[in-house]
Each structure stands twice: as C-alpha cells, then as structure tokens.
Amino acid sequence: MEVGEQRGRTFNANYGFVKVSNFEPKVLFQGRPVVIGAGASGNPLWDAWVIRSPAGPAVLAVNREVFLVTLRNGQPHAELIANAKADAATIQALDGKGGQPEAVTTIYQRNDVKDARELPGDRLYLISGSTVLDGRTLRTSRLAISSAESRRQRGEYNPEPGKALLLSPRKSRTALFARGDQNRVALVVVDLGSGEVTQHLPIDRDQTYLGELDYYADATWAARYFEWSSSGGGEVLSLRRNAAAIPKIGWHLTSGNTLDHRYRLLAVETSMFDTFLAYTMAQHGAVMDGESTRDNFGRTANIRIGSRTLTVRWSRFESPPNFGHLEVSVNQYKLRAPLLNELDFPELIASLANGFNRELASGKHQQLIQKD
C-alpha cells in the first residue's frame, strides 16, 4: 500500500477550468484508492502515515478520526481505531528515543505528499489519547478512561489526549498527564494490557518545580521527579523520595516554528542573568551585541554566537522583586536575509539549554533559584 493524493479542478467563468488547492490524501493499493468509511465526522482524509511493520504493510488514515488500513487475505481492510473526541487527532510514540514517550504529533490537513509520512514499525503508539497501537503486531487496544469507574479510579482527573509522559520499564503501563478542577494536576497510570486505570498521583507543583504553566510537564520533567517500582499488582509509579532535593533545571520550550524555541528558568534571582551570560561567553563563545539594558520590568541583553543573535531577558516579579524568570530566545529583529531559513536555531537553543542544565543538575547556581 502507498499514499497518493487527489487534487481537483473547478470551473471559473473568467478562466474556464482551473486547478484548486483542495488536497486530499488517498491510500492506494495496486494503484487504486482504498475505500475508507467516513465515520462519524464525515470528513475527507487530512493525512496518511505509512507504518513499516514486521506484521505487514499498513497505513494510518487520519482526519479527526483515525483508521488503520491493513491487508486481510490479500485485500485492504480499513478499521476505525480512534473516534473523534477533539478538533484534531494525535499520534505519540510511547517507547521513542530512550524508551520513553516522545512529543505528541497533532494531525492537521496537509498540503501535499512531498514529505513522506512514515512511522517506525517497532514502537508502541498512543492514538488520540485513547487507543494503543503496537507497530510490531498492528494490534490495537482501547484505554478505558471514560467510564464512571475510571473517573473514580483517576480521582476526577481528566487525561490530556496524547500526553503520555512515562512508560514503565516492562512497557506494561503508561502515565498520562491529567487535569482536575481548581488547577489541580496529576499523573494517571493506565495498564496497557487491560486498559484500566491503576492509580493516580496528584502533583505538588512546588515540589516538582512545575509552577503554574503545565506545558513544562514533559517526559524529561516526569522522569526527574517520578519513578517506577514493581509490586504484586504490577508496576507502580511514585514520587521520588528525594524529590524536594532534586536540583532545579531550566525548560527547553519547543515549537514547530524554527525561530520559536526558548530556554526558560523559573523564579531566579537577578544575578542569574549575569551568571548565564558568563556561561554563554565561556562555553559557547558568545559576545555581547551592544550593552545590556535595565528597565522597571527587568534586564535585557543581546548576544551573538557566530552569526546568530539571541536575546537574554530577566523579567522581574512584583513580589518578591529580586526574583523573576530568565528566558533565552531568537532575536528575530536582527536576522539577516541569508539566515531567515536557517535550521540550526533549535539546535543552538538546545545546546545552551542542555549545557546550562548540566551545570544546574550538578548543584551549581541553586542558591540563585527561589526555594519552594
């Protein structure tokens, strides 16, 4: 099977028949389109992903719903594996790099098939936060996270679609980030075999250095503050015993936009601004691009590393006033034309983030970070 495309034409009174930009992926078998049910949404396909599975050829066909197309008795068969529960479907590898969940991919309508969509066939995938697909066997199982009993088991927390943060060592259970009322958050553990909720762990935002912004909750954060153990009832998740003493590190905030990657440190003293600048100069060859400035809201400096300019900004808290957030971002106002399409800004921010985080994780500069 393969993925093709269909484009249309329309009649214009001034120009006659013209091409239109409406694009619809097609799943092809022996050159012919595979009939895929429209499902409850009635939408045409938005995207299609080829799975290189040991069990045979397969395609994930996606709009808001997700269909798995496989071969049965030599003929294509489309099965609805995830219903539409949100505005877009999601795909997330549960055992990605390092054996842990990767960032979620949200599916939107694409423009063409120039960039091939493929999924490795040796991984577990969480589809739209509700279905687990084993790429090795192409078998699927549903997570039972919507029943009344499930709501009781998960403490009235609602798992976010596609936001699995941890996979247990034996790959038997996964932990999903979930929300409750009054800004409460938790990790909800689900057994991948039965699909049942086995436990929920309310999260102390201060103890786990999460703060009020939940997009900091990623797989790296979860692995630092939570750990798995085995018991008679299977693998169990718990807060690390020394969680309060774990050195605090910064956050590398990523985006699909090449120029919108940031590194952020929460609740640090103003002197962390000078400490970070000194680090970039010593370890990355940064030089100041003009003088640093102060205002009533904080401090700002532009630094150049090679031909790229970054902005370092410390933004003051109202209380206590000597603390604030430190953020490093691309200075888009100083981009020269040849650099507009440079793809190494994410790598540059990641290098700064990983390097300074290693210093923080070793215990350095912790006196400059606000205590819980």
Side-chain angles (χ1 to χ4, degrees):
M1 287 186 293
E2 60 181 330
V3 177
E5 62 179 309
Q6 175 176 298
R7 294 185 183 274
R9 294 197 308 162
T10 188
F11 184 80
N12 182 288
N14 296 320
Y15 303 104
F17 282 101
V18 296
K19 293 181 179 180
V20 295
S21 60
N22 294 335
F23 167 80
E24 182 181 343
K26 291 291 183 183
V27 180
L28 305 177
F29 177 67
Q30 296 180 350
R32 297 181 178 179
V34 176
V35 177
I36 298 175
S41 70
N43 292 327
L45 294 183
W46 291 354
D47 208 342
W49 300 66
V50 174
I51 304 175
R52 302 299 182 186
S53 171
V59 173
L60 278 183
V62 184
N63 44 51
R64 290 177 62 211
E65 299 166 316
V66 182
F67 297 84
L68 177 64
V69 186
T70 57
L71 292 181
R72 290 188 181 180
N73 300 319
Q75 294 299 314
H77 173 80
E79 176 188 2
L80 177 66
I81 64 170
N83 297 94
K85 295 182 179 179
D87 291 335
T90 59
I91 300 175
Q92 183 181 20
L94 292 178
D95 53 350
K97 296 178 182 178
Q100 290 301 305
E102 294 182 344
V104 65
T105 297
T106 302
I107 310 301
Y108 301 105
Q109 191 163 13
R110 60 191 292 197
N111 296 322
D112 53 48
V113 294
K114 291 179 181 178
D115 51 332
R117 300 282 207 265
E118 292 190 6
L119 295 173
D122 59 350
R123 295 181 181 176
L124 292 170
Y125 296 98
L126 181 62
I127 308 298
S128 293
S130 61
T131 300
V132 176
L133 168 64
D134 189 333
R136 294 172 290 271
T137 64
L138 298 179
R139 294 175 181 171
T140 62
S141 59
R142 294 289 185 107
L143 302 185
I145 55 176
S146 59
S147 65
E149 175 62 17
S150 169
R151 286 195 296 271
R152 186 186 68 80
Q153 291 289 341
R154 53 187 162 87
E156 303 298 329
Y157 291 94
N158 297 311
E160 287 196 354
K163 199 164 184 179
L165 298 186
L166 291 170
L167 183 69
S168 65
R170 296 204 300 266
K171 299 185 179 182
S172 68
R173 292 176 177 175
T174 188
L176 309 173
F177 186 77
R179 299 180 186 277
D181 59 4
Q182 299 179 349
N183 205 27
R184 296 180 306 134
V185 290
L187 289 180
V188 170
V189 179
V190 182
D191 187 273
L192 297 182
S194 66
E196 300 293 334
V197 174
T198 61
Q199 63 179 131
H200 69 274
L201 282 74
I203 296 170
D204 184 317
R205 292 177 177 275
D206 292 330
Q207 192 174 23
T208 60
Y209 193 47
L210 181 61
E212 297 301 310
L213 299 178
D214 295 339
Y215 53 71
Y216 296 138
D218 58 14
T220 301
W221 164 83
R224 282 176 62 79
Y225 290 101
F226 298 89
E227 61 184 350
W228 296 97
S229 60
S230 296
S231 70
E235 293 177 290
V236 177
L237 189 66
S238 60
L239 184 70
R240 293 189 183 276
R241 293 179 182 178
N242 63 341
I246 294 176
K248 295 178 173 62
I249 62 174
W251 312 90
H252 178 199
L253 308 179
T254 61
S255 165
N257 183 340
T258 299
L259 302 179
D260 192 22
H261 283 238
R262 301 166 185 270
Y263 176 59
R264 185 176 294 164
L265 276 166
L266 300 180
V268 296
E269 288 189 8
T270 182
S271 54
M272 185 69 88
F273 177 84
D274 299 304
T275 299
F276 183 80
L277 290 180
Y279 162 79
T280 64
M281 294 173 185
Q283 300 298 325
H284 295 270
V287 296
M288 295 290 293
D289 188 352
E291 298 291 329
S292 63
T293 61
R294 294 176 181 263
D295 56 38
N296 292 332
F297 304 102
R299 302 176 64 186
T300 303
N302 291 320
I303 58 173
R304 282 188 290 106
I305 300 178
S307 58
R308 298 144 303 180
T309 303
L310 302 175
T311 295
V312 182
R313 171 72 180 174
W314 179 81
S315 300
R316 183 188 307 277
F317 287 167
E318 289 186 7
S319 178
N322 58 322
F323 281 90
H325 295 327
L326 182 78
E327 183 171 275
V328 185
S329 60
V330 177
N331 188 317
Q332 300 189 34
Y333 296 101
K334 295 201 173 186
L335 285 175
R336 294 189 296 277
L339 290 175
L340 288 177
N341 295 317
E342 286 261 346
L343 299 179
D344 63 347
F345 278 107
E347 288 76 11
L348 176 60
I349 298 289
S351 177
L352 289 169
N354 294 336
F356 200 64
N357 277 347
R358 282 193 293 270
E359 288 203 3
L360 295 171
S362 72
K364 290 183 178 180
H365 320 307
Q366 290 297 308
Q367 74 281 5
L368 303 180
I369 301 178
Q370 189 175 27
K371 302 298 185 290
D372 298 339

